[in-house]
Amino acid sequence: MYTQFFGNFLLNKDVISPEELIKAMEKQAAIHIKFGTLAIHEGLLTASEVDHIVIIQTHKNKRFGEIAIEEGYLTKEQVDFVLEKQKPSYLLLGQILIEDGKLSNSDFENLISDYQSQYEIFDLESDEEQNNLVTGLFSSFGEPGNEPISQTAIDYLTLLFNNLIRFIGDDFTPLDLVAYQEDYPTNYCISQHISGNISIHSAMDMDTDTAINFASRYANEDFSSFDEYARASLEDFLNLHNGLYNVNMSNERSVELSLTPPEVHSDDVLEFEPPSYLMPIMFPFGILHFILGFH
Amino acid sequence: MTLDNAKILIGDDSIFARRQLKDMIGSWGNFTFIEAADGQEVIDLFLAEKPDLVLLDIVMPIKDGIAAVEEIIDTDPDAYIIMVSSMGTQTQLRRAIEAGARDFIQKPINSDHLKTIITKRFEGR
């Protein structure tokens, strides 16, 4: 988890430009080998078994391998065997940059070693690691511990990244947050307010092409135009994410919050009160702009 | 169990969420679906159509789902209402059950869980 941050790390080190990163991510999306594909290749699953698991996966928050075991298609040993063959996505990104001549093998070796020691990636699932990575996005604001709202922001963003991985895909790179105090001119933008002891003004903005791609992935459906279902699925994503945030806050921090229905702002201007942040998230199909005010 | 011809009212402001529910449930039987996009429309359609089952979101414009449950139960204490929401906090769960809802499904919807609940409703029909 969270190998998405390797792209952000490379940008911060000025190793590559944003354009080069997008190109590499597009290639990565094309060659990213999924568990199911590998398992078919190894002769362990049939294509119809893979299709069946993919359908179950749309309703269960479980990994592909776990479902394959539950369904009796694979043993735990077979799943481990396939997992060993899967490479972390940052290795794939590195491989593409080497092939394109952006990095040498020894550059890559050094960067990987820096990246791993900077973020202490030992246990990729640990909460602490996620926390460190997300905290790193606030690096331009100095010590995040100085800001009283920072834990709220870190909790919120950690869940956002998990939900993007869960519902959209793991092939994204979040860029560092920048402070935002002006009016925000929107393309196609969904906003929603969380209120209670904590108040969060959340918005996600993107151009129409990006929106169609994002909606298609979320709904598991090929939208060819930006119709009412595509538009509604964007609202559904933000509403689901914010709802799950409220559930987490209720369960883990005993904070009860409420939610307003999502609003659409198309070619509009949104007002944000400081402290607000703008965070671009790069996917191979385009850039999402999250605008977040924590109060 | 026969699910045929049962009338289900789906109250959700998202056309996407309504279609998702119709697609899932529609694959298990021959239902008639009625759709409402806000809490007041849910109440009006409930009174007009007397559905066998109501699936209701919480966060909706004009009147939220829990206020709609209270008004429906006031007029028909036997109304069979299930909340389907991304906001399954302890408080919302308690409010919904106190208002008279029979169950609560946390989004994203687990189809097995939904099917169990729907089956329970229409058992023996």
Side-chain angles (χ1 to χ4, degrees), chain A residues 58-60 166-167 192 218-219 221 223 228-229 232-233 235-236 239-244 246-247 250-251 256-262, chain B residues 12-20 22-24 35 57 59-62 85-92 106-112:
Chain A
T58 60
H59 307 309
K60 278 190 181 172
R166 184 174 172 190
F167 300 111
Q192 190 168 36
Y218 180 64
E221 189 174 334
F223 292 115
E228 62 177 337
Y229 289 108
S233 72
E235 292 167 43
D236 203 76
N239 187 55
L240 177 62
H241 162 64
N242 283 329
L244 291 172
N246 286 9
V247 173
S250 167
N251 290 344
E256 293 296 326
L257 301 167
S258 59
L259 209 54
T260 59
Chain B
D12 197 309
D13 54 330
S14 161
I15 191 173
F16 173 79
R18 296 200 301 270
R19 194 183 62 172
Q20 207 177 29
K22 282 191 294 179
D23 286 351
M24 270 188 207
E35 298 177 47
D57 186 20
V59 179
M60 285 193 288
I62 303 179
S85 171
S86 64
M87 274 273 287
T89 63
Q90 294 305 315
T91 310
Q92 298 289 10
Q106 169 70 42
K107 286 184 189 173
I109 300 164
N110 174 321
S111 69
D112 291 343

Side-chain angles (χ1 to χ4, degrees), chain B residues 14 18 48 64 70 76 78-79 82-84 89 93 125:
Chain B
S14 161
R18 296 200 301 270
D64 78 14
E70 284 166 349
D76 181 358
D78 294 329
I82 292 161
M83 308 312 287
V84 184
T89 63
L93 199 68
R125 279 170 61 107

Side-chain angles (χ1 to χ4, degrees), chain B residues 73 77-83 96-97 100-104 120-121:
Chain B
I73 294 291
D78 294 329
Y80 205 103
I81 308 172
I82 292 161
M83 308 312 287
I97 301 298
R102 309 282 181 116
D103 218 323
F104 197 112
K120 187 174 146 201
R121 168 67 185 107

Side-chain angles (χ1 to χ4, degrees), chain A residues 206-224:
Chain A
M206 60 198 97
D207 63 39
T208 312
D209 283 346
T210 306
I212 291 172
N213 280 289
F214 186 91
S216 297
R217 283 191 179 198
Y218 180 64
N220 261 323
E221 189 174 334
D222 243 342
F223 292 115
S224 52

